[in-house]
């Protein structure tokens, strides 16, 4: 019940954050922003996350704050504090936080021809924190989650040996990817619109980052029927699509983190 209450509160704050984001994108379309906020908050994955005892809704509001940070051009250290909080709350989101830092590092390197040591330090801190959580607090790693959910229910989780063959894994991926086709079609349309409407390399890179994380999550956790696991990465891609479309109405510019 405590986690459920947290999900309900997070749902409320996520609605406020989403309204704020859409207001940034469409500052002169007040009623459109209200309508889109209501429709988005009534999406089945959103309402489902709000009424189950999982941390998905809680972490979703931090993903929305991450989007605000991108739009408002927070400093790289401001973004790092947010990435640190995301990883601390959901250690399995280390894939997202590290891929973001790696993407920014290479983007800066190819643009400026300089190596940003601070980004390397940030990534190292996040990785060390993740490893420390797994080691000292017995947080289940990807192998535990995948095995326990899809391969074989262990009679005693802490003692039963984990045995997952590559053949077993590929067979699961083959079956699950078929049922993932709706998500694949949706994200393909959104990324196509982003690349069609925007030539900005930074915008494209951030959009691809969210797209890649959808499939990183899938290949580590191939539960295609549970959209809540992927929605926190799909929805930001939807926001990026709205961002590039919003440029028709205003001159908002999403710039790289300085």
């Amino acid at each position: 019940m405590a986690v459920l209450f947290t999900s309900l509160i997070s749902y409320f704050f996520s609605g406020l954050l989403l309204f704020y984001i859409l207001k940034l994108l469409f500052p002169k379309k007040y009623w459109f922003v209200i309508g889109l906020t209501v429709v988005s908050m009534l999406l089945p994955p959103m309402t489902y996350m709000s009424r189950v005892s999982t941390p998905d809704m809680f972490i979703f509001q931090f993903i929305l704050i991450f989007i605000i940070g991108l739009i408002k051009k927070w400093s790289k250290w401001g973004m790092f504090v947010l990435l640190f909080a995301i990883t601390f709350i959901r250690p399995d989101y280390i894939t997202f936080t590290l891929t973001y830092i790696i993407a920014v590092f290479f983007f800066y390197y190819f643009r400026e021809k300089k190596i940003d040591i601070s980004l390397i330090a940030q990534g190292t801190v996040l990785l060390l924190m993740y490893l420390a959580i797994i080691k000292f607090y017995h947080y289940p790693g990807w192998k535990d989650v995948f095995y326990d959910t899809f391969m074989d229910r262990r009679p005693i989780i802490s003692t039963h040996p984990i045995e997952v063959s590559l053949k077993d894994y590929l067979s699961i991926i083959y079956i699950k990817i078929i049922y993932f086709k709706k998500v694949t079609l949706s994200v393909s349309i959104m990324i196509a619109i982003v690349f069609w409407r925007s030539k900005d390399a930074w915008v494209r890179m951030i959009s691809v980052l969210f797209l890649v994380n959808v499939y990183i999550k899938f290949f580590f956790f191939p539960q295609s029927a549970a959209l809540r696991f992927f929605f926190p990465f799909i929805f930001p891609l939807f926001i990026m699509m709205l961002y590039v479309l919003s440029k028709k109405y205003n001159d908002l510019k999403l710039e790289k983190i300085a």
Side-chain angles (χ1 to χ4, degrees):
M1 289 301 295
V3 179
L4 178 59
F5 182 73
T6 302
S7 295
L8 292 172
I9 295 298
S10 300
Y11 179 77
F12 172 76
F13 283 110
S14 294
L16 297 179
L17 291 169
L18 178 57
F19 175 80
Y20 178 72
I21 291 171
L22 295 177
K23 197 69 175 66
L24 290 175
L25 300 183
F26 304 97
K28 299 180 181 180
K29 305 289 182 178
Y30 187 77
W31 289 109
F32 173 75
V33 169
I34 292 177
L36 187 55
T37 301
V38 172
V39 170
S40 299
M41 295 305 293
L42 291 178
L43 290 173
M46 197 82 79
T47 55
Y48 177 77
M49 289 192 299
S50 70
R51 62 177 187 267
V52 294
S53 299
T54 68
D56 297 300
M57 196 72 241
F58 183 69
I59 197 64
F60 181 71
Q61 61 189 336
F62 284 87
I63 297 296
L64 293 178
I65 296 173
F66 176 81
I67 296 174
I68 292 174
L70 290 175
I71 295 175
K72 301 291 287 185
K73 295 171 285 188
W74 289 0
S75 70
K76 61 185 175 183
W77 287 106
M79 295 298 284
F80 170 70
V81 171
L82 181 56
L83 295 174
F84 187 93
I86 290 174
T87 308
F88 184 79
I89 295 169
R90 283 292 300 266
D92 57 313
Y93 272 51
I94 185 67
T95 52
F96 169 68
T97 55
L98 281 185
T99 51
Y100 170 77
I101 289 179
I102 292 171
V104 173
F105 174 84
F106 282 106
F107 184 89
Y108 180 81
Y109 175 76
F110 287 116
R111 276 293 182 89
E112 308 295 335
K113 302 302 180 183
K114 296 179 181 179
I115 295 177
D116 193 333
I117 301 299
S118 63
L119 291 173
I120 298 177
Q122 290 178 6
T124 302
V125 170
L126 293 179
L127 182 59
L128 290 176
M129 179 178 67
Y130 172 72
L131 295 176
I133 291 174
I134 290 179
K135 180 175 178 58
F136 297 109
Y137 296 95
H138 308 293
Y139 187 89
W142 287 109
K143 191 175 181 181
D144 300 272
V145 175
F146 172 79
Y147 179 85
D148 185 50
T149 306
F150 303 107
M151 306 308 297
D152 181 28
R153 290 289 179 176
R154 285 169 283 169
I156 302 177
I157 293 179
S158 60
T159 61
H160 195 67
I162 300 174
E163 297 178 0
V164 182
S165 70
L166 178 60
K167 181 179 179 181
D168 292 333
Y169 173 76
L170 293 178
S171 66
I172 289 292
I173 290 294
Y174 176 75
I175 295 172
K176 296 294 183 177
I177 197 70
I178 295 174
Y179 295 99
F180 208 57
K181 57 182 179 296
K182 291 183 179 179
V183 171
T184 299
L185 177 62
S186 299
V187 295
S188 297
I189 292 174
M190 287 186 281
I191 199 71
I193 292 176
V194 169
F195 274 69
W196 170 51
R197 294 293 300 176
S198 176
K199 305 301 180 184
D200 190 320
W202 175 256
V203 173
R204 288 183 170 187
M205 187 270 288
I206 292 296
S207 301
V208 170
L209 174 72
F210 289 124
L211 175 66
V212 168
N213 272 275
V214 171
Y215 289 95
I216 289 177
K217 183 71 172 179
F218 174 79
F219 284 109
F220 276 122
F221 198 77
Q223 176 55 294
S224 56
L227 190 57
R228 67 181 179 87
F229 294 120
F230 313 99
F231 194 73
F233 303 123
I234 297 173
F235 195 79
L237 184 56
F238 173 69
I239 296 295
M240 295 304 298
M241 182 189 70
L242 292 179
Y243 163 75
V244 299
L245 293 176
S246 73
K247 301 190 74 168
K248 179 179 179 181
Y249 302 101
N250 54 72
D251 59 354
L252 181 66
K253 293 183 178 180
L254 184 63
E255 298 180 0
K256 65 182 179 66
I257 304 299

